[in-house]
Amino acid sequence: MSMSMPNNARRAGLVTVLAAAGVLAAAGAASAHVTVHPESYAKGATDGVLTFRVPNEEDSAATTKVQIFLPTDHPVLGVLVSPRDGWSAKVTTTKLKKPVKTDDGTITEAASQVTFTGGRITAGHYEDFDIAFGQLPDDTDELTFKTLQTYSDGKTVRWIEQPEAGADEPEDPAPVLKLTAKAAGGEESGDSAATNEADSSKSPGSTKTAAASSSDSTARGLGVAGLVVGVLGLAAAAFALLRGRSARS
């Protein structure tokens, strides 16, 4: 009997490790989607940059094309694309149904799509695509950037789903940028807003939003790590109990 107890403990430990590995794998798969950074900006922010992070989810194919669609009902004005090594970018504009009045005049056209081609994102890697803007809209609380990701084997993943209130995150969510209230006194965030959380230091009302939006993957990683530690702790306790019984036997 004294010999069987350690074997049982080892089996329990193996099961725990396998279960933890399964949890980590599931979390990794769930977090591997196209995201926009920073996750929030002040309404009407000017002269900033949006970074779209595109991970490769396929083991046997590379990402060869990324299409990012910009909303035109609440247009992003003054779009410029930062060049990436190995990639070429094409900006498509469209005529606005409702022109936008600015200090520089009335805008009747705006960017509706940015397409990146020519490069490759291989398995286990990601690419950051930067899109600079002159001004964000101030008449909405969020912007949705539907995205298509095409692989070398012809497969296209459509990151276009939008979450519904009270529902779980969709399988293929579109990147969403939250727009927070302007700073006190109506000051708009400028160049400093492009450095992720810098605009939150100007706007007390958006500090919590910026802090909470540090990263989807980071939050999920910490949650999974806590779960795994808890599981391993239970396994260790079970091992100690079984060992104690063995010693008494």
Side-chain angles (χ1 to χ4, degrees), residues 28-219:
S31 63
H33 54 254
V34 177
T35 53
V36 60
H37 304 274
E39 296 179 352
S40 67
Y41 254 112
K43 292 181 178 180
T46 58
D47 301 327
V49 176
L50 298 175
T51 299
F52 292 85
R53 177 159 295 178
V54 182
N56 189 86
E57 294 184 309
E58 298 292 324
D59 295 331
S60 58
T63 298
T64 56
K65 183 178 181 180
V66 177
Q67 298 166 268
I68 301 171
F69 295 87
L70 284 65
T72 55
D73 52 346
H74 303 285
V76 178
L77 305 180
V79 167
L80 295 174
V81 179
S82 176
R84 304 292 301 177
D85 292 340
W87 294 86
S88 60
K90 178 183 178 182
V91 178
T92 302
T93 60
T94 188
K95 188 172 183 179
L96 300 175
K97 293 181 179 180
K98 182 180 179 181
V100 179
K101 294 182 178 180
T102 69
D103 295 338
D104 297 324
T106 301
I107 306 297
T108 59
E109 291 187 348
S112 59
Q113 179 181 339
V114 179
T115 303
F116 296 91
T117 56
R120 294 174 68 86
I121 308 174
T122 55
H125 296 84
Y126 69 87
E127 186 75 72
D128 284 340
F129 298 95
D130 294 336
I131 297 179
F133 62 83
Q135 183 174 340
L136 294 178
D138 59 5
D139 57 352
T140 184
D141 294 328
E142 64 180 28
L143 295 176
T144 300
F145 299 92
K146 296 181 178 180
T147 303
L148 301 184
Q149 180 180 9
T150 302
Y151 288 90
S152 55
D153 60 1
K155 177 182 178 181
T156 298
V157 180
R158 299 168 60 84
W159 303 99
I160 63 174
E161 298 178 0
Q162 295 179 260
E164 297 180 2
D168 294 335
E169 183 181 64
E171 183 177 355
D172 298 320
V176 175
L177 176 72
K178 300 294 184 181
L179 297 181
T180 62
K182 294 181 180 180
E187 178 184 359
E188 294 181 359
S189 55
D191 292 341
S192 61
T195 57
N196 294 335
E197 298 174 4
D199 63 323
S200 66
S201 64
K202 289 186 176 183
S203 175
S206 63
T207 301
K208 292 183 179 179
T209 301
S213 64
S214 57
S215 173
D216 281 346
S217 57
T218 301

Side-chain angles (χ1 to χ4, degrees), residues 2 8-9 118 144 226-227:
S2 61
N8 289 337
T144 300
L227 178 61

